[in-house]
Amino acid sequence: MLTTTKRLLRSELEHLLTVNQSRRPWHLPIVSAIAISFPVFIGAYFDALSSGMKASLGAMIILNLPLVGSLAYRLVTIMAWGFAMSLCFALGAIAQQVPLLKLPVFMIMAFGIVMFGRYYQQQPPAGLFVMMAGAIALFIPIPLTELLSASGLVMLGSGFAMVMALLYSLFLLATRQTLPVPKYSYQPDTISESIIVTGFVSLALLVAVLLNMPYPYWASVSCFIIIQGIHLRTMWIKQLHRLLGTVAGVGLATWLLSFDLLRWEVAIVVFTMMLFIESLIDRHYGLAVVFITPLTIFIAEYGSDLPVTVQNYQSVIQARLIDTALGCVIGIIGGIAMHSTALRKPIQHLERWLVIRFR
């Protein structure tokens, strides 16, 4: 019994610490870092850092660029995610003006994002950053008079990412063998699993709001990352990666924010963190989270028009840890629920009726 337990613990520890070999082009992290940080540099140049941060949020669709298929397929995919990014941010900013609409609008956004990603078999991060953009827009201060300009900045960032995607895709198609696009069609349980994921992600947001957490969108994003795991073991390892990486990332963010960075320094930090994230994300998720955590904190803090003070960022750091832990717990419960026959059966009946009704 003791030997079996030791063997199990050793196996789990090896799985937790394993660093995989990257299968992506070595220049992809550089292109992604340039595309996402360039709007921040522009914002720093014009002394409008918050505008640059909003645009960089839109530019994150570059992370959805497929590495397979024809040029048309790659551009259509990136444009679809760009439209979703702009739409979700705008809907979140509008719903923010009417608090009662926040949860219903978020649920609609989340369901659409999950359905789109699953039906078209999108690779990670799939709709993660689109959901994050919509969730952030629900809660960061955006006056009604600045709603259009803020949404326009996100759209501009997405537009710049599309141009970068075009140039990079042309380079890849000219220098690498083109792999075929996986065939996709409607798969059983797509609707039922999307409903379950949406339900638990929305539950994480609701609990965070009811607990008066200052940044409730972090709970929903953390929950979404965890529950997207296919197998329970995957979710368990990803939860540990998320928690341990967040703790280390919070320490890194605290250290960086303590320097009272100038706007150019903020832009350089964003570029550097993005480079590390994209270099590590398919090698070791936990190491990537160490840099994802401060990046999201920078986007939320410098993306708002409020000044970043010592008291401000300390409260942000504390809230980030609590929200992440809450999201991870609800995410792992949701992952277990996805394997529950009792929960899935009635939703599967609804799915079959919908598929037959609208076929």
Side-chain angles (χ1 to χ4, degrees), residues 65-300:
L65 178 65
L67 299 178
V68 297
S70 64
L71 178 64
Y73 170 77
R74 300 181 192 214
L75 294 183
V76 166
T77 301
I78 204 76
M79 284 190 289
W81 282 117
F83 173 77
M85 175 73 78
S86 302
L87 177 63
C88 288
F89 186 89
L91 286 174
I94 293 170
Q96 181 188 139
Q97 314 303 321
V98 185
L100 288 177
L101 291 179
K102 286 184 178 181
L103 186 61
V105 167
F106 178 79
M107 292 178 70
I108 293 171
M109 287 192 299
F111 182 75
I113 290 167
V114 176
M115 272 288 296
F116 180 85
R118 285 178 176 252
Y119 181 81
Y120 290 103
Q121 300 177 23
Q122 295 294 287
Q123 296 298 311
L128 171 62
F129 291 108
V130 176
M131 182 179 290
M132 186 176 79
I136 287 176
L138 286 170
F139 295 98
I140 63 170
I142 302 178
L144 186 60
T145 54
E146 297 180 11
L147 192 150
L148 288 177
S149 60
S151 301
L153 287 168
V154 174
M155 192 177 297
L156 280 173
S158 295
F160 174 71
M162 291 177 198
V163 174
M164 290 290 293
L166 169 62
L167 298 176
Y168 187 53
S169 294
L170 290 172
F171 168 75
L172 289 177
L173 291 170
T175 58
R176 295 168 64 91
Q177 182 181 2
T178 303
L179 298 175
V181 180
K183 292 183 180 180
Y184 53 79
S185 59
Y186 183 81
Q187 300 295 321
D189 290 339
T190 297
I191 292 178
S192 58
E193 289 186 1
S194 297
I195 291 174
I196 295 171
V197 171
T198 301
F200 279 94
V201 170
S202 302
L203 176 63
L205 183 71
L206 177 62
V207 171
V209 170
L210 292 177
L211 293 176
N212 291 319
M213 294 182 174
Y215 305 95
Y217 47 84
W218 280 331
S220 58
V221 171
S222 296
C223 179
F224 179 70
I225 292 171
I226 300 301
I227 203 172
Q228 284 292 79
I230 299 175
H231 304 291
L232 286 179
R233 181 178 180 181
T234 303
M235 287 184 287
W236 171 249
I237 295 299
K238 187 169 281 190
Q239 185 187 40
L240 284 178
H241 279 170
R242 182 78 179 164
L243 287 172
L244 296 175
T246 297
V247 171
V250 161
L252 177 60
T254 304
W255 180 68
L256 290 171
L257 291 170
S258 67
F259 286 106
D260 192 19
L261 299 172
L262 301 175
R263 59 181 187 271
W264 286 108
E265 293 170 333
V266 171
I268 293 170
V269 168
V270 170
F271 172 82
T272 305
M273 287 192 293
M274 204 62 239
L275 189 62
F276 277 116
I277 290 168
E278 284 304 292
S279 299
L280 293 169
I281 194 69
D282 66 334
R283 298 174 187 269
H284 192 280
Y285 181 71
L287 292 176
V289 171
V290 174
F291 299 96
I292 291 173
T293 298
L295 178 67
T296 55
I297 290 174
F298 269 55
I299 290 173

Side-chain angles (χ1 to χ4, degrees), residues 20-33:
N20 303 309
Q21 185 175 0
S22 179
R23 298 181 179 179
R24 304 192 301 171
W26 65 267
H27 30 66
L28 179 59
I30 299 173
V31 173
S32 301

